[in-house]
Amino acid sequence: MENATDSITTYETGTIEEVQDERGWDDATWILTSAFIIFTMQSGFGLLESGSVSKKNEVNIMVKNAIDVIFGGLSYWMFGYGISFGNDAGSNAFIGIGYFFVDDTDENMMGTLFSSFFFHTSFATTATTIVSGAMAERTKLESYILFSFLNTFVYALPTRWVWATSGWLNKLGAVDIAGAACVHLSGGVTGLVATLVLKPRTGRFEGKAIPPKMGMPTNAIFGMFMLWWGWLGFNCGSTYGITGGKWKLAARSAVTTITCSIGGGTVGIFLSYILKKRKFDILYLINGVLGSLVSGTAICALARPWEALLIGGIGGIISCLGGELIAKMKIDDPVGVVPVHAMCGLWSLIAVGLFVRIDRLEGVSRYNGLFYGGGLYMLGIQLLAGVVITVWTVATSYICLKILDLTLGLRMTLQEEILGADLVEHSLNGSYDKATGELRSVEGDLIEIVKSNGGAFYNDELKKLSDAVAMRMPREMFASVCTLGHGSGTYSNGEIIHIDNDFVPVTRDRHKLSVATISSLRRVTPIEDMSSIVSFRSTVTKNPTMESHPTRNSLTLVNKDVNTAEVTQGDPSILAIPVTTLPPLLLPDNNGETKTEQETKACVTEVVGTPGDTFGHTEN
């Protein structure tokens, strides 16, 4: 892999013009066809990631995969390809100069340049797409757009070092045929840095730290199949043609790819059966297959089938057990980016140092590996490549992500994360106004004014509400799952007769008591046959003997015939609502003493809130 004027001669001798005349169009056709297949991997990553996250974020993660192609592709056209493969004055073994804003008016060179650019664009966007899985469910879309644009720079330099004929690692003899280091190690390490900067999803490692359920396992498995298919284009296309002996290397790449995946898939299934108490865990299957595919990427055109089976099997172990390891380290990696891409990418480089042999067909490798009498040289070069690319990726991705975090902010707010990115970023199944906190239904009705300081109990209820909204649950059913989202207004016999944010009703029908509180209703003691309706903000009453006296720090209901009961906001308190008739039952008064209903003439409700909270009502 190298710049446009050299790339077609990766395994050739002679001038560019001679090679183009003799073989160029065959190789270009192969490259373009492979790139078409590679681009289907974007769909595979999108399905895998959307199936692995919660249903409140599945569309957002698909959008981010599209963003990777749009903005990652833009930056690769502007400067990424030039940094990797430019050969103008000033180019050296570290960085390329030239081919910025890729274009070519020379018809003789156009096909070579454009096929090379298109092929490598599919690799560059894949490297960024890998990272999106590690950042899932908590990253602001605005910040991610800028990240996908800037991450091209993180990717472009290592490709210069490994794939350009003038790259310093290439000159040393490093072998990475299809991007184990440049794509997977780089993407996986960036994903690790990103998840450490973002920190875990809310509640991920609290309590028993049970891993969140996959939102759509079928989509995740379908995504695995699409990636499997795309990997064949990834590896076979990396022979960079089919002329000469390259078609033989392409055929070997196909066999290596499939046997690696067989080895990893087998290991994943058996590990799951042993470690998961005779259950076949979906993540073990997916990570076993994908980890093995990454493991064979660096050596795909050079490995024998039995070597590929072994390399893939080891990769399956690394990806499955690596996922368990990072979870124990409390690193939140929703899709398994770190074990599959970073760990297995490094193993792929090491496998070259162990199993590679000198290539007599096209000169892809110039040295034997450790197991074939080459000593430690190739192993050392491959380890050097892995270490250098890891250090480079950690440094540059951290700087990029930290700048975005300090300026725009990387992470969504707690309430936005609870509601889900599909709703917050894309107004799916409703809408959310980030400025006012208004959560509305698809029809535009106000569901809840989301509070930023509601506390742990409020946030738990908000999560239940967001799940109900994501499932398109009818609004009248919200009361069955949470204490939020019933709107504010005046009720009569359980039906809304007026909606107004200024009305916070206390109502009663035959079956249950509906009490408006400042944040959430925790407990209601039902009492039969109460017909009074009272609003705390304005008097809405059927009983002229009842009045409303709102103040900033307290809510008071006054009945001329009954002692006043005051509720102070901020502390759980007893709310005494005068009633006309009470059935026989015992109720505590404000001092906690039990009295008969004739003595108290009140019903008891526990309320919570803080001064200045927006009124809303709940029903239980």
Side-chain angles (χ1 to χ4, degrees):
M1 308 287 180
E2 43 283 294
N3 61 52
T5 59
D6 290 338
S7 61
I8 202 166
T9 62
T10 304
Y11 315 127
E12 303 280 358
T13 59
T15 66
I16 294 298
E17 290 75 11
E18 290 171 346
V19 173
Q20 282 184 306
D21 290 341
E22 182 183 356
R23 301 174 175 180
W25 69 270
D26 279 336
D27 287 344
T29 301
W30 178 256
I31 293 166
L32 289 171
T33 304
S34 298
F36 297 154
I37 297 173
I38 294 169
F39 264 113
T40 65
M41 295 179 76
Q42 295 291 341
S43 301
F45 278 114
L47 286 167
L48 171 65
E49 293 168 10
S50 66
S52 298
V53 301
S54 67
K55 291 184 178 181
K56 296 184 292 186
N57 296 281
E58 60 183 4
V59 174
N60 180 257
I61 201 71
M62 292 291 281
V63 170
K64 285 174 179 172
N65 277 265
I67 293 297
D68 295 330
V69 178
I70 295 168
F71 291 96
L74 176 63
S75 58
Y76 194 70
W77 171 74
M78 291 172 62
F79 60 83
Y81 185 80
I83 289 174
S84 296
F85 302 116
N87 63 351
D88 288 355
S91 298
N92 52 51
F94 182 78
I95 189 170
I97 305 294
Y99 296 122
F100 299 130
F101 301 94
V102 176
D103 195 7
D104 203 323
T105 57
D106 184 352
E107 291 185 359
N108 292 325
M109 294 300 302
M110 181 177 65
T112 302
L113 174 63
F114 286 167
S115 60
S116 174
F117 166 73
F118 180 65
F119 183 78
H120 285 288
T121 300
S122 67
F123 277 58
T125 54
T126 297
T128 301
T129 294
I130 289 169
V131 186
S132 65
M135 302 174 73
E137 300 199 274
R138 60 210 192 275
T139 306
K140 294 166 65 174
L141 187 57
E142 300 97 323
S143 301
Y144 187 81
I145 289 172
L146 281 175
F147 164 77
S148 67
F149 181 86
L150 297 173
N151 191 58
T152 294
F153 181 72
V154 180
Y155 164 83
L157 263 294
T159 60
R160 175 73 180 185
W161 307 338
V162 176
W163 285 339
T165 53
S166 58
W168 67 276
L169 285 173
N170 184 291
K171 289 182 176 180
L172 290 174
V175 173
D176 182 14
I177 294 174
C182 301
V183 177
H184 298 286
L185 180 60
S186 175
V189 170
T190 302
L192 174 61
V193 174
T195 193
L196 291 176
V197 171
L198 282 167
K199 298 181 175 57
R201 289 166 290 176
T202 300
R204 173 63 182 89
F205 296 111
E206 296 176 3
K208 295 182 179 180
I210 300 173
K213 294 181 179 179
M214 302 174 75
M216 190 67 69
T218 302
N219 279 5
I221 295 175
F222 187 30
M224 177 196 73
F225 276 114
M226 292 199 70
L227 288 171
W228 211 338
W229 152 259
W231 231 289
L232 291 169
F234 209 86
N235 288 355
C236 298
S238 293
T239 60
Y240 223 77
I242 54 172
T243 58
K246 285 182 277 191
W247 70 272
K248 298 177 182 178
L249 296 178
R252 178 180 282 168
S253 293
V255 174
T256 297
T257 302
I258 199 68
T259 50
C260 270
S261 60
I262 291 170
T266 301
V267 166
I269 288 175
F270 275 101
L271 279 177
S272 172
Y273 192 76
I274 295 169
L275 300 179
K276 300 293 183 179
K277 298 179 181 179
R278 301 177 68 183
K279 300 295 182 182
F280 298 101
D281 188 85
I282 300 301
L283 282 178
Y284 270 59
L285 169 63
I286 293 173
N287 288 348
V289 171
L290 297 184
S292 64
L293 288 168
V294 173
S295 300
T297 300
I299 197 173
C300 59
L302 302 172
R304 294 176 178 175
W306 71 267
E307 294 170 337
L309 196 68
L310 178 60
I311 292 169
I314 295 174
I317 295 172
I318 292 171
S319 59
C320 292
L321 299 187
E324 299 289 350
L325 175 63
I326 64 169
K328 289 186 180 297
M329 296 171 65
K330 296 188 176 181
I331 297 173
D332 189 14
D333 183 8
V335 190
V337 166
V338 176
V340 170
H341 297 281
M343 294 182 182
C344 289
L346 183 59
W347 159 239
S348 187
L349 290 177
I350 293 172
V352 172
L354 300 175
F355 293 101
V356 74
R357 298 180 305 281
I358 296 173
D359 176 37
R360 309 289 182 186
L361 289 173
E362 296 290 337
V364 178
S365 59
R366 305 192 293 272
Y367 306 97
N368 286 325
L370 178 63
F371 294 162
Y372 291 96
L376 295 174
Y377 181 79
M378 272 303 295
L379 183 59
I381 292 300
Q382 296 298 108
L383 286 171
L384 174 64
V387 170
V388 169
I389 291 172
T390 298
V391 171
W392 163 261
T393 303
V394 168
T396 51
S397 62
Y398 178 79
I399 292 171
C400 173
L401 290 163
K402 202 62 182 177
I403 290 174
L404 290 174
D405 192 33
L406 294 174
T407 52
L408 294 177
L410 270 179
R411 183 157 183 156
M412 304 166 71
T413 66
L414 173 60
Q415 287 69 37
E416 290 171 354
E417 184 182 345
I418 291 172
L419 291 173
D422 287 1
L423 174 67
V424 172
E425 302 281 14
H426 310 292
S427 295
L428 295 175
N429 301 321
S431 64
Y432 175 72
D433 190 317
K434 296 180 182 180
T436 64
E438 292 182 355
L439 173 62
R440 294 184 178 273
S441 67
V442 175
E443 294 78 16
D445 297 330
L446 180 66
I447 297 175
E448 179 79 9
I449 297 178
V450 179
K451 298 190 297 183
S452 60
N453 58 347
F457 176 78
Y458 178 84
N459 291 334
D460 288 342
E461 295 300 297
L462 184 62
K463 183 179 184 303
K464 297 174 186 176
L465 176 63
S466 68
D467 291 338
V469 172
M471 292 187 293
R472 302 292 296 270
M473 182 181 290
R475 186 173 177 180
E476 57 268 20
M477 294 181 63
F478 288 173
S480 65
V481 296
C482 66
T483 61
L484 303 180
H486 312 290
S488 60
T490 304
Y491 281 63
S492 176
N493 294 325
E495 297 180 358
I496 298 176
I497 59 175
H498 181 67
I499 292 291
D500 190 328
N501 286 340
D502 289 337
F503 287 134
V504 184
V506 177
T507 67
R508 174 70 176 149
D509 61 27
R510 291 186 58 202
H511 304 292
K512 65 178 70 174
L513 177 69
S514 299
V515 178
T517 66
I518 307 228
S519 65
S520 59
L521 181 64
R522 291 192 176 181
R523 184 181 67 251
V524 175
T525 303
I527 303 172
E528 295 292 339
D529 299 327
M530 175 181 174
S531 60
S532 299
I533 300 177
V534 178
S535 169
F536 289 147
R537 285 289 182 88
S538 58
T539 302
V540 180
T541 179
K542 291 182 179 179
N543 186 343
T545 65
M546 301 187 69
E547 299 176 354
S548 173
H549 295 275
T551 64
R552 178 172 176 78
N553 294 316
S554 66
L555 301 175
T556 306
L557 289 177
V558 177
N559 185 310
K560 295 177 181 179
D561 301 322
V562 182
N563 291 332
T564 298
E566 183 174 288
V567 178
T568 301
Q569 299 181 23
D571 299 308
S573 307
I574 300 299
L575 172 60
I577 303 177
V579 295
T580 54
T581 9
L582 291 174
L585 78 156
L586 298 178
L587 298 169
D589 64 8
N590 287 350
N591 295 321
E593 298 176 358
T594 301
K595 297 183 179 182
T596 65
E597 76 284 351
Q598 289 82 7
E599 294 176 295
T600 60
K601 293 192 174 182
C603 69
V604 181
T605 301
E606 182 182 3
V607 298
V608 294
T610 56
D613 284 346
T614 303
F615 288 143
H617 97 277
T618 58
E619 187 170 317
N620 208 356

